[in-house]
Amino acid sequence: MSEIPLSREQAEVFAAIESTRQNVFVTGRAGTGKSTLLNHLSWHTSKQIVIAAPTGVAALNVGGQTIHSLFRLPIGVIADHVIDQSDQVRKLLNTIDTLVIDEVSMVNADLMDAIDRSLRQARQRPHDTFGGVQIVLFGDPYQLAPVPGDSDERAYFADTYRSMWFFDARVWQQAELRIFELTEIHRQHDADFKHMLNAVRHGQVTAEIGGALNAAGARPAPSEGVITLATRNDAVNRINAAALQRLSGRPLTAKAEITGDFGGRTFPADEVLELKVGAQVMFLRNDSNHQDGGQRWVNGSIGTVTKVDSTVYVDIDGDTHEVEPTVWEKFKYSYNPLTKKLKKDVVAEFTQFPLRLAWAVTIHKSQGATYERAIVDLGSRVFSPGQTYVALSRLTSLEGLYLARPLRPSDIIVDENVQRFMQGERAALATEEIPRT
């Protein structure tokens, strides 16, 4: 597996995680290499590490397990209900040195407190936060928010917590959390565009910045090689279905092979993928099988299907590549009584071409991907904080931006709780760095 070397900034964070027992939150703007650092940590740590994520797809993407499945927690608000733990779960939780949680911005405060209680209980260390386990969090609260449940759940959070966010969990009143904000952007290289994205991220878009984004995005979009990022699933499905139908020839159907228990419908790619020659597709994974170690495509690369046989041939920027089905593995951690160490087993496999029709994709599903050109379609309105930032920050440059409609001030939504936490933490960090005389 070819590996991306760490930048100096990433190496410093890795050293802090590896050489201390501090709880760490790794954050940073889109494109600062959080995923690269997490991948490096999972391969190179000397600690007994477990990687978890709030959703099935997020767990698959990082080779981890969902939080609920790892801790055997019930879905919904856990509050002060008794947490049942089998002997097996207790042994597993006793073996962990470091718990890594990816996409932590989607974890709510109640779940964060339940993780704390579970670890204290299993490890019989009731007075130690997280039962003495080191917690390492990855994510960007400016991009993804926790999803509110029904009205009862929302009322519970309003009564119990300052907000739903993970950083307002009770455990942080006792536990220290050291923040590392990665600042070096690897996705965009143009200083002006980086400045504009930062303004969108923090809700500080001036009339001048808004005007510059709208002027750039007003050019007519090319008819090919550009993806539409839309707010709603139905819009995406409509665009993709209509574009596929316009192509001549019969569709070829690739059905995924699924072994083991995948649980629910959280598949990382389409269970049934329909393709035609000429279809615009997006890659859902980085290329890891190339003989010379180079990557022919990355997650988010856009191409055109040129031939469909037992495998699929895709043209990316004038080069045609044969694409074979890939295997996503679902992992489960367990305790090995012989070695007294953690074991990570494959419990299910999903095999499918790492492709999705890509005339359009939802902004939510574009998370983590990089595009050279995209049409950003915000529909009638933006309905969640960070949505506009996620969409715009997928692009490598302002030249690749095409707007389906001009941006409006109401499209720039930043959650006030995120601002409070991130700005408060930044102030605390600044005071921490003042040399003591």
Side-chain angles (χ1 to χ4, degrees):
M1 190 175 118
S2 60
E3 198 175 335
I4 303 165
L6 293 188
S7 66
R8 188 181 59 77
E9 183 179 55
Q10 290 167 326
E12 279 175 13
V13 181
F14 174 71
I17 295 168
E18 194 64 5
S19 61
T20 74
R21 309 261 331 121
Q22 290 175 317
N23 299 320
V24 168
F25 175 35
V26 182
T27 188
R29 287 182 265 171
T32 49
K34 294 182 291 293
S35 304
T36 302
L37 178 55
L38 173 53
N39 191 40
H40 182 88
L41 177 67
S42 68
W43 284 98
H44 296 282
T45 183
S46 58
K47 296 182 176 182
Q48 290 270 324
I49 192 171
V50 162
I51 300 173
T55 67
V57 171
L60 284 170
N61 287 340
V62 291
Q65 195 173 340
T66 66
I67 294 166
H68 285 87
S69 142
L70 177 70
F71 286 90
R72 300 287 188 281
L73 291 169
I75 300 295
V77 166
I78 295 148
D80 49 6
H81 300 164
V82 173
I83 295 175
D84 290 326
Q85 288 176 332
S86 67
D87 196 36
Q88 194 59 27
V89 169
R90 275 198 301 275
K91 281 182 173 156
L92 166 63
L93 298 184
N94 266 289
T95 318
I96 301 175
D97 294 326
T98 300
L99 172 68
V100 177
I101 300 176
D102 193 30
E103 300 292 18
V104 69
S105 61
M106 294 173 78
V107 174
N108 66 45
D110 175 70
L111 183 55
M112 187 54 82
D113 279 335
I115 291 168
D116 171 48
R117 275 178 55 213
S118 298
L119 288 167
R120 291 188 203 219
Q121 182 178 309
R123 296 163 72 93
Q124 296 181 319
R125 292 173 65 172
H127 304 299
D128 294 339
T129 54
F130 298 107
V133 169
Q134 178 188 29
I135 304 295
V136 177
L137 311 174
F138 280 82
D140 180 9
Y142 286 105
Q143 291 186 57
L144 282 175
V147 180
D150 58 23
S151 55
D152 285 351
E153 276 192 25
R154 286 201 292 272
Y156 169 78
F157 276 103
D159 287 349
T160 316
Y161 289 105
R162 188 164 176 184
S163 79
M164 269 189 78
W165 289 86
F166 73 92
F167 47 75
D168 281 328
R170 289 196 189 100
V171 63
W172 300 120
Q173 291 163 17
Q174 301 165 30
E176 293 281 314
L177 182 62
R178 188 172 175 196
I179 315 278
F180 286 97
E181 189 161 359
L182 298 174
T183 57
E184 205 178 305
I185 295 180
H186 305 279
R187 184 174 293 146
Q188 293 96 12
H189 301 290
D190 169 26
D192 285 347
F193 189 39
K194 286 182 188 180
H195 173 68
M196 290 177 196
L197 291 176
N198 207 35
V200 175
R201 173 182 165 88
H202 292 288
Q204 295 163 347
V205 175
T206 60
E208 188 187 2
I209 290 170
L213 287 166
N214 281 333
R219 292 158 302 141
S223 55
E224 286 180 9
V226 65
I227 187 168
T228 296
L229 307 181
T231 52
R232 299 174 59 93
N233 256 316
D234 51 5
V236 164
N237 294 338
R238 196 172 56 245
I239 291 169
N240 283 333
L244 189 67
Q245 192 152 11
R246 280 197 297 272
L247 294 175
S248 57
R250 64 184 182 86
L252 289 122
T253 304
K255 201 166 180 333
E257 274 180 44
I258 303 164
T259 58
D261 176 20
F262 237 85
R265 319 289 298 163
T266 55
F267 299 138
D270 293 340
E271 188 178 0
V272 178
L273 176 65
E274 280 203 351
L275 295 174
K276 284 182 185 176
V277 170
Q280 180 166 295
V281 289
M282 175 176 94
F283 284 82
L284 300 174
R285 286 189 92 159
N286 294 347
D287 174 27
S288 56
N289 300 329
H290 205 33
Q291 276 68 38
D292 64 9
Q295 287 194 321
R296 297 165 294 176
W297 59 77
V298 294
N299 177 17
S301 292
I302 304 284
T304 305
V305 175
T306 57
K307 180 180 163 191
V308 181
D309 206 349
S310 55
T311 55
V312 178
Y313 291 81
V314 178
D315 175 298
I316 308 172
D317 296 331
D319 291 323
T320 299
H321 304 290
E322 182 180 8
V323 183
E324 295 177 337
T326 191
V327 181
W328 281 265
E329 295 173 325
K330 182 178 177 182
F331 292 102
K332 189 173 173 185
Y333 293 95
S334 59
Y335 172 75
N336 184 331
L338 294 174
T339 61
K340 297 197 169 23
K341 290 195 167 170
L342 288 173
K343 201 155 66 83
K344 185 169 155 181
D345 298 313
V346 177
V347 292
E349 288 186 345
F350 180 95
T351 307
Q352 178 60 289
F353 291 102
L355 300 169
R356 162 184 283 141
L357 290 179
W359 287 281
V361 66
T362 60
I363 292 169
H364 189 84
K365 286 217 173 87
S366 74
Q367 193 76 20
T370 300
Y371 308 113
E372 284 181 19
R373 303 190 293 183
I375 298 165
V376 174
D377 181 358
L378 299 174
S380 56
R381 68 186 186 98
V382 166
F383 46 86
S384 66
Q387 214 167 24
T388 303
Y389 173 64
V390 170
L392 297 178
S393 62
R394 300 306 96 207
L395 286 152
T396 54
S397 73
L398 193 57
E399 286 68 54
L401 172 66
Y402 302 92
L403 291 168
R405 66 157 173 80
L407 291 173
R408 304 191 280 255
S410 58
D411 296 325
I412 314 295
I413 312 172
V414 181
D415 188 299
E416 59 194 21
N417 293 299
V418 172
Q419 282 180 314
R420 162 177 57 84
F421 170 68
M422 294 294 279
Q423 286 162 8
E425 290 302 338
R426 201 167 288 123
L429 283 176
T431 54
E432 198 182 286
E433 286 161 7
I434 296 167
R436 287 165 177 77
T437 49

